[in-house]
Amino acid sequence: MHLIMILNALAVAWWLRSSWNQPQASWSLRWGRSLFLFLFPPLLIFMTAIAVLFMGPQGAMGGITGSVSYVVALIYMAFFAILCIKLAFQGWQSVESARKCPLVNLGDKRARLLQTGALFAGQIGFWQPELVVSQGLVQTLSPEHLESVLAHEQGHHYYRDTFWFFWLGWVRSCTAWLPNTEPLWEELLALRELRADGYAALQVDPLVLAESLLLVVSTSPVLSEICCAALGSSGAGDRLEQRIEALLAPPEPIAEAQLQSWHGFLLAFLPLVAVIFHS
């Protein structure tokens, strides 16, 4: 019975991920659907594994022992934990590397100055990230363009993108074998940047921000993307074109996440109900 639970969870997760296609809708609809299809399948698998572990290897449901499914669930949970520790360590290394950079004042903001000629600006850290800019960015951009870049990075700070996308990146690593993991991840990255662009466009000229974006994404990333939210993220190909078009178009309101939008995720906790009826 326990093995059937695991197989059912895997089948539902695979089916949901396979149903995704590139949406052409408003920001809020794209964000809600992409986040659900990205997060719900692994959450369902995770909850199923927890339920199987709680029921133990000596399951009595249907008269079938659950030792095999228990071992499978235990291995999968260990895999989740190891990946989390690995990503956390890599993120810590990124934070420590950023903290070695000297502090500078950029107007009313303080930032870490990265000694490189590449054009880079990003938030580095977890819940309370630090602004990191490169020497090349400060020397190359005009004060107006630099202000637009800092406004974009303030958007990442406001939405706590480094924190939330660390956990989403962990989910990405754990479920790389599911269909559409990479397209959904790229979609969420693009929507994250559109949200930060929208935040900045309320404070600076969108055209100036678009010009800054074209300059910054022309250079390769200089830091790991783990625990990092940078202006140039997801800037290749049609993603860059999409961001430029959004900046030049009339601003689209970006609604805050509503409680009811999370109701669908409660279905992922259904496997835990089986623990109550287990003997």
Side-chain angles (χ1 to χ4, degrees):
M1 186 66 179
H2 299 176
L3 191 56
I4 292 176
M5 287 178 59
I6 294 175
L7 292 176
N8 283 339
L10 291 174
V12 172
W14 193 277
W15 172 73
L16 281 173
R17 280 292 188 84
S18 299
S19 68
W20 183 82
N21 50 42
Q22 183 69 44
Q24 299 295 329
S26 65
W27 183 94
S28 57
L29 289 176
R30 287 173 61 189
W31 176 265
R33 185 167 187 268
S34 298
L35 186 62
F36 179 81
L37 292 178
F38 184 82
L39 198 54
F40 183 88
L43 185 60
L44 178 64
I45 296 171
F46 187 77
M47 289 299 111
T48 302
I50 289 178
V52 170
L53 290 177
F54 267 110
M55 290 185 287
Q58 302 299 325
M61 295 180 70
I64 302 175
T65 60
S67 57
V68 174
S69 54
Y70 182 85
V71 171
V72 170
L74 192 61
I75 291 173
Y76 198 70
M77 292 296 288
F79 176 67
F80 264 48
I82 291 170
L83 280 178
C84 184
I85 293 171
K86 176 186 175 183
L87 290 176
F89 178 71
Q90 291 174 345
W92 174 80
Q93 286 182 312
S94 296
V95 173
E96 287 300 303
S97 176
R99 285 176 178 170
K100 292 177 181 177
C101 299
L103 279 168
V104 295
N105 291 318
L106 298 175
D108 60 345
K109 296 180 176 62
R110 288 176 66 79
R112 298 281 180 179
L113 185 64
L114 197 62
Q115 303 296 325
T116 175
L119 305 185
F120 175 83
Q123 296 284 340
I124 308 292
F126 289 88
W127 184 253
Q128 289 288 352
E130 287 191 281
L131 176 63
V132 178
V133 298
S134 68
Q135 192 172 36
L137 185 86
V138 176
Q139 294 175 344
T140 302
L141 297 189
S142 67
E144 189 178 22
H145 286 93
L146 184 59
E147 181 187 5
S148 69
V149 171
L150 298 182
H152 173 94
E153 294 307 323
Q154 184 59 36
H156 284 310
H157 187 278
Y158 176 79
Y159 290 110
R160 308 288 182 184
D161 283 336
T162 53
F163 177 81
W164 296 117
F165 272 80
F166 168 79
W167 295 109
L168 290 176
W170 173 51
V171 171
R172 171 201 181 196
S173 299
C174 293
T175 57
W177 49 273
L178 282 174
N180 289 320
T181 295
E182 284 306 308
L184 277 167
W185 172 251
E186 290 297 325
E187 173 73 357
L188 289 173
L189 282 180
L191 292 171
R192 180 189 75 176
E193 297 307 313
L194 285 171
R195 182 171 65 179
D197 288 343
Y199 179 94
L202 297 176
Q203 306 173 53
V204 298
D205 186 347
L207 181 59
V208 174
L209 178 58
E211 292 172 351
S212 303
L213 177 60
L214 286 171
L215 288 171
V216 173
V217 299
S218 63
T219 61
S220 301
V222 295
L223 288 175
S224 168
E225 287 189 353
I226 301 173
C227 302
C228 173
L231 177 68
S233 297
S234 187
D238 59 340
R239 301 297 186 189
L240 174 59
E241 182 180 347
Q242 185 181 155
R243 291 175 64 184
I244 297 297
E245 288 177 354
L247 284 169
L248 299 181
E252 176 185 340
I254 297 177
E256 297 288 343
Q258 300 295 322
L259 182 61
Q260 55 266 31
S261 65
W262 293 94
H263 285 172
F265 288 96
L266 295 178
L267 294 174
F269 292 85
L270 282 178
L272 297 180
V273 176
V275 179
I276 302 174
F277 300 100
H278 187 266
S279 58

